Amino acid sequence: MDRRTMLKGTGLAVAGGFLLPKSANVRADAATGEPLRDLPEVRSSGGVLDEQLDMVARSMRVGDRPVTLDTYSGEFPGPIFRFRPGDQVRLLLRNRMRPMGIPANKLPPMCASHPGEDGSTGPPHGPVECAPHVAGQVAAAGETLPQTMLATNIHTHGLQVSPEGNADNVFVRIDPLGQHQYVYDIPDDQPAGLHWYHPHFHGSTSHQGWAGLSGPLIVEGDIDEVPELAEMRERTIVINELWLDENGEVPTALVVPTGGPVPFSSIPAVPTTTTFTLNGQLLPEVRMRPGETQRWRMLNASPHRAIWLHVDGHPLHQVGVDGVPLARTRRVPATMLSAGNRVEFVVRAGQRPGRYPIFAREYDQGHPGGARPTVQLGTLVVTGPPAPGQIPTTLVTPPRMPDRPVARRRTLVFSGDITGSDGIGVRFFIDGKLYDHHRIDQTVEAGTVEEWRLVNDDVFQHPFHIHVNPFQVTDVKGIPPGDTSWDTDPSIWWDVFRLPPKGEVTIRTYFRPDITGKTVYHCHILPHEDNGMMGNVLISPPGEVS
């Protein structure tokens, strides 16, 4: 299907979120929604995928109210891009966004820069408003809050590609009316699985994530040839978390955590709601026949919410995590997706027809407002005549950690300050430092194995993410008593793994010998990343690190 046909033939079925009371049970008859839609797709041809993405605002309806969201070429979420190892992916990103969500009661703080935008931490103790001559200087540098919210770029989360030049370079800045040509050379050994693309300009990641800017990347390969998987229906499902004001727009404002059903407040304060969608729909229905098996690829594109995913009455048979296939299928009662995680699994519909909620169970991720409440995301509808379906047991040979000595061990400490003493709003630190894009925080050697001890000195669970190179978890300390959502299997490859509150995680990483350059690691709760919890890592060529 070409791009014009894809966009013309795909309607925007966008709907609102549904929050259940904290103490309520999930009911199968909570609502009746539309059938879950398939996202539009673009496939590589002849080893090349060449596409244009226009970031544009689009008005639509979410439930009973109109909203305006930033989108990729009018699609919410963005289209699926499918390709294979060894392909070249070319994306021309054009920024056509416009200001939205400006509070009517008061202008946002013009001089409140995010850590690292100008090599500093911003005004540490000054007033919210700044003097006109200072405001003019900040505006000329493109660093006012509204300007930052409209600056963008794109990160191909999970792809093991170059972080420099026109590839997965998160230091590119694309302002409104600007554009940038990205070119990604997919390595021949890129694992087959689900990855995704989303904005990654420091300071605007959460704002643009709450607007729904996200889209799946699917690398096809060996696991897709497993006979049982090849024969079953495949669904790619994107979970989005929309944070909207009374006008149905994402506020252009500073963000601070708060209690209550909406976990954030804006500065200046405006009424807001949080809405969860699947493929842009409210409570869609996934229809299956009794006994039928389907392969679901799930992406949590939420900037904040951890999704402890349950399908009522149905276990999940995992076949891949964070875009890396497993060696054998793993049967689990539920699965946790921190912000940025992907999980691929098989669902076998039960023999009894009925309606079974798909929901995120109540979960405390350390937010000062307490546990995030149970939220229903959709409904599995089992209906019709029985159908055959098989679940595979043996899958493929996943990547192996090289049998090499650990070249270096490091310790990184994550912490936060919600007092406002370190600047307007909330600040989050790694090793006591706010992010500075000019600073190199870690220098590693390509082609080596390293072990990083990640210490969380905070009450928040911080999901750690590093670009380009996935990792394995070798030790976890501090899992809260009774919390059964953790998966600590050391054979699994991750690119996002949460740090327990006041606990620590040890990871082992192999830095590919063929990929060098400057990239980042950070907390994937995006308002934490925007407010300082990120560091730069320089991957040097083999033999160039003493």
Side-chain angles (χ1 to χ4, degrees):
M1 179 183 296
D2 62 30
R3 179 174 178 273
R4 291 185 180 87
T5 304
M6 173 194 75
L7 296 180
K8 181 178 179 181
T10 303
L12 264 289
V14 180
F18 178 71
L19 283 176
L20 298 171
K22 184 173 180 180
S23 60
N25 294 320
V26 181
R27 295 174 19 242
D29 60 348
T32 300
E34 299 176 344
L36 179 74
R37 71 185 185 106
D38 290 328
L39 299 178
E41 293 190 4
V42 178
R43 289 178 175 267
S44 63
S45 177
V48 176
L49 189 154
D50 195 350
E51 186 65 13
Q52 176 177 304
L53 282 177
D54 290 345
M55 301 179 72
V56 295
R58 178 163 180 173
S59 297
M60 57 196 76
R61 296 196 71 84
V62 173
D64 295 329
R65 64 172 181 152
V67 304
T68 303
L69 300 176
D70 289 318
T71 66
Y72 287 119
S73 299
E75 295 292 334
F76 167 58
I80 298 171
F81 295 129
R82 284 185 184 262
F83 45 89
R84 300 185 65 85
D87 285 355
Q88 185 179 85
V89 176
R90 301 175 57 85
L91 297 178
L92 176 62
L93 184 68
R94 306 199 310 169
N95 185 352
R96 300 298 183 263
M97 293 188 292
R98 57 180 175 79
M100 294 192 298
I102 304 293
N105 59 333
K106 187 178 182 182
L107 287 175
M110 294 294 117
C111 285
S113 65
H114 288 270
E117 289 173 10
D118 58 356
S120 69
T121 64
H125 302 292
V128 171
E129 304 292 351
C130 56
H133 70 281
V134 177
Q137 294 172 4
V138 174
E143 293 171 353
T144 67
L145 191 67
Q147 288 172 306
T148 299
M149 296 301 186
L150 291 174
T152 195
N153 56 29
I154 203 164
H155 167 45
T156 51
H157 184 136
L159 295 188
Q160 298 176 30
V161 295
S162 171
E164 295 198 315
N166 289 343
D168 190 29
N169 187 346
V170 298
F171 304 101
V172 168
R173 174 172 178 153
I174 309 170
D175 287 307
L177 301 182
Q179 66 183 42
H180 186 77
Q181 177 68 64
Y182 289 93
V183 180
Y184 311 96
D185 292 315
I186 311 303
D188 292 336
D189 59 352
Q190 171 77 49
L194 175 63
H195 309 284
W196 64 303
Y197 58 94
H198 64 92
H200 209 291
F201 181 74
H202 180 63
S204 66
T205 61
S206 52
H207 179 86
Q208 294 175 19
W210 274 316
L213 282 165
S214 56
L217 301 168
I218 295 180
V219 180
E220 296 186 325
D222 51 0
I223 193 169
D224 304 295
E225 299 168 4
V226 173
E228 296 91 340
L229 295 177
E231 293 174 0
M232 66 182 64
R233 170 82 155 87
E234 177 186 308
R235 298 183 184 272
T236 301
I237 305 174
V238 180
I239 305 169
N240 285 109
E241 174 189 37
L242 308 178
W243 182 51
L244 305 173
D245 63 18
E246 288 184 311
N247 297 318
E249 300 177 354
V250 180
T252 294
L254 289 178
V255 180
V256 293
T258 186
V262 180
F264 298 101
S265 180
S266 61
I267 300 177
V270 297
T272 58
T273 57
T274 305
T275 295
F276 293 88
T277 59
L278 297 185
N279 288 2
Q281 297 170 277
L282 167 67
L283 293 171
E285 295 181 351
V286 181
R287 293 183 171 267
M288 296 180 67
R289 293 163 61 184
E292 180 187 358
T293 54
Q294 291 187 1
R295 178 185 182 183
W296 293 9
R297 303 180 188 258
M298 298 283 295
L299 158 64
N300 182 11
S302 303
H304 171 265
R305 172 70 191 250
I307 301 294
W308 194 3
L309 184 72
H310 292 66
V311 181
D312 188 47
H314 292 75
L316 311 178
H317 303 268
Q318 288 184 348
V319 298
V321 175
D322 279 358
V324 181
L326 304 178
R328 296 182 63 83
T329 303
R330 303 170 72 244
R331 186 180 189 271
V332 296
T335 188
M336 173 61 77
L337 292 94
S338 293
N341 275 141
R342 291 89 65 213
V343 180
E344 301 179 53
F345 53 84
V346 174
V347 176
R348 172 183 277 160
Q351 294 299 325
R352 178 179 296 179
R355 300 173 59 81
Y356 302 89
I358 304 167
F359 64 98
R361 181 175 166 179
E362 176 187 70
Y363 188 70
D364 187 353
Q365 54 194 87
H367 195 280
R372 296 296 86 211
T374 294
V375 56
Q376 185 167 351
L377 304 171
T379 306
L380 170 61
V381 179
V382 181
T383 185
Q390 292 185 334
I391 299 172
T393 54
T394 301
L395 299 171
V396 298
T397 302
R400 300 182 185 277
M401 183 68 69
D403 185 16
R404 298 184 182 183
V406 175
R408 183 165 177 180
R409 290 178 169 86
R410 305 169 191 258
T411 298
L412 282 64
V413 179
F414 293 69
S415 59
D417 175 23
I418 63 174
T419 67
S421 61
D422 242 292
I424 300 172
V426 181
R427 293 294 192 241
F428 295 95
F429 308 86
I430 300 178
D431 291 339
K433 302 174 184 176
L434 294 168
Y435 178 67
D436 178 350
H437 70 257
H438 297 290
R439 185 182 64 229
I440 299 298
D441 298 285
Q442 312 293 334
T443 300
V444 303
E445 181 178 355
T448 65
V449 173
E450 290 204 359
E451 199 168 83
W452 291 18
R453 177 172 165 257
L454 311 173
V455 178
N456 187 8
D457 194 28
D458 200 359
V459 295
F460 285 97
Q461 290 186 15
H462 294 294
F464 174 81
H465 171 52
I466 186 168
H467 291 203
V468 179
N469 294 281
F471 54 84
Q472 292 181 320
V473 174
T474 61
D475 187 43
V476 182
K477 292 183 173 67
I479 294 175
D483 188 343
T484 60
S485 67
W486 294 80
D487 192 338
T488 59
D489 186 334
S491 69
I492 294 177
W493 289 87
W494 307 83
D495 57 42
V496 177
F497 194 88
R498 60 205 158 115
L499 311 183
K502 299 296 182 177
E504 63 181 67
V505 171
T506 301
I507 65 170
R508 186 167 294 179
T509 308
Y510 174 58
F511 292 96
R512 296 180 59 107
D514 56 338
I515 293 179
T516 59
K518 178 183 172 184
T519 189
V520 296
Y521 53 90
H522 59 90
C523 173
H524 217 287
I525 293 179
L526 296 183
H528 295 184
E529 184 255 286
D530 279 336
N531 285 287
M533 194 168 270
M534 184 159 70
N536 294 320
V537 55
L538 178 63
I539 308 173
S540 296
E544 292 191 10
V545 176
S546 58

